[in-house]
């Protein structure tokens, strides 16, 4: 993180010759000032950083930050126009929030986050990780490790906020992906079953009819 409290011209060194995938997030001071004016309490750590010209902070990026940056660099191809821009801005704000939290931890000040809001954010990270890895062999242990939470925490908080278990969510999203493939691409029932994670097309058909009220063949293009 780098703060420029007054007009500056930044020069980036050449570094090594290896290709680098990077994301740069710029937050204008006017926008940050507006946030602070509307804040209900003063954060001295954050204000001190913003008032110091060329204040810097380096911290190790978490797996979640890497994941969010990847979503900015490679957004879902189905998104376009304003929705694509909103997708990228939302991920950028999440990265900025985590960077500011790292700033407070670096200075020894722990962020005071309402337990319910913290729980919601953890559950959203689980959801985003699942959506980005629907084609993988997802286990609750892997999901917990990749999102920095315990297995019991993932299961409890996700159901509390999304009214379904993690695996019910995975099944629902995979069925939605299969339904889209049937409607858009006219894939076979067996191919749709495979996309939804079912080895047996008959089991897929039963689950599909339960979810959509019709047989998969009636959704085919």
């Amino acid at each position: 993180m780098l703060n420029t409290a007054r007009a500056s011209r930044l020069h980036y060194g050449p570094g090594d010759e290896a290709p680098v995938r990077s994301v740069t997030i710029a937050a204008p001071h006017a926008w940050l000032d507006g946030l602070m004016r509307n804040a209900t309490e003063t954060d001295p750590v954050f204000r001190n950083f913003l008032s110091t010209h060329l204040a810097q902070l380096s911290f190790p990026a978490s797996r979640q930050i890497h994941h969010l940056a990847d979503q900015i660099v490679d957004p879902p191809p189905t998104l376009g126009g304003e929705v694509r821009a909103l997708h990228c801005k939302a991920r950028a704000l999440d990265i900025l929030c985590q960077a500011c939290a790292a700033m407070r931890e670096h200075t020894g000040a722990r962020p005071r986050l309402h337990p319910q809001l913290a729980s919601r954010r953890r559950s959203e990270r689980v959801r985003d990780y699942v959506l980005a890895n629907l084609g993988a062999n997802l286990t609750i242990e892997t999901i917990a490790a990749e999102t920095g939470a315990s297995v019991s925490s993932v299961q409890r908080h996700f159901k509390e906020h999304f009214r379904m278990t993690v695996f019910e969510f995975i099944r629902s999203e995979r069925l939605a992906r299969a339904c889209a493939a049937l409607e858009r691409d006219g894939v076979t029932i067996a191919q749709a079953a495979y996309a939804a994670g079912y080895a047996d097309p008959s089991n897929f058909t039963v689950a599909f009819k339960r979810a959509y009220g019709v047989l998969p063949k009636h959704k085919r293009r």
Side-chain angles (χ1 to χ4, degrees):
M1 292 181 68
L2 172 68
N3 176 57
T4 53
R6 55 179 181 267
S8 305
R9 180 175 295 176
L10 301 179
H11 297 276
Y12 295 90
D16 55 38
E17 296 182 358
V20 175
R21 282 162 53 95
S22 64
V23 172
T24 300
I25 300 170
H29 265 264
W31 178 74
L32 293 169
D33 289 340
L35 287 181
M36 291 189 291
R37 281 197 300 271
N38 294 325
T40 56
E41 60 180 275
T42 299
D43 186 333
V45 174
F46 189 54
R47 287 181 180 274
N48 181 61
F49 185 86
L50 291 180
S51 64
T52 305
H53 183 54
L54 298 183
Q56 298 180 52
L57 173 68
S58 297
F59 62 95
S62 66
R63 289 180 178 177
Q64 180 63 14
I65 288 180
H66 279 287
H67 177 56
L68 290 166
D70 284 339
Q71 291 185 48
I72 294 174
V73 174
D74 296 312
T78 55
L79 300 182
E82 293 83 355
V83 177
R84 184 187 184 95
L86 184 60
H87 166 91
C88 293
K89 288 181 179 179
R91 272 64 185 173
L93 284 172
D94 202 346
I95 291 175
L96 182 60
C97 181
Q98 293 190 49
C100 291
M103 180 201 306
R104 300 188 69 181
E105 292 179 2
H106 181 78
T107 58
R110 299 297 177 182
R112 291 176 291 176
L113 190 62
H114 192 282
Q116 189 71 9
L117 178 57
S119 169
R120 176 76 187 190
R121 289 183 61 81
R122 284 193 295 269
S123 297
E124 289 173 348
R125 292 191 186 113
V126 170
R127 178 200 61 196
D128 290 345
Y129 176 79
V130 167
L131 291 176
N133 295 275
L134 271 179
N137 180 26
L138 293 170
T139 66
I140 194 66
E141 291 79 13
T142 299
I143 295 170
E146 291 294 333
T147 56
S150 67
V151 168
S152 60
S153 175
V154 167
Q155 293 172 321
R156 182 175 69 257
H157 293 299
F158 193 91
K159 187 169 185 179
E160 175 185 346
H161 292 292
F162 294 108
R163 300 293 184 264
M164 65 177 72
T165 67
V166 174
F167 286 108
E168 286 172 343
F169 178 74
I170 292 172
R171 183 166 58 247
S172 173
E173 290 298 321
R174 284 175 172 169
L175 283 173
R177 173 183 289 186
C179 182
L182 287 166
E183 293 179 325
R184 182 184 63 245
D185 304 322
V187 300
T188 67
I189 304 302
Q191 289 172 324
Y194 178 78
Y198 288 84
D200 187 343
S202 62
N203 290 339
F204 165 72
T205 299
V206 171
F208 191 94
K209 189 173 189 302
R210 186 182 301 120
Y212 293 98
V214 296
L215 295 173
K217 64 182 181 180
H218 294 143
K219 286 284 187 177
R220 288 190 70 196
R221 185 180 57 153

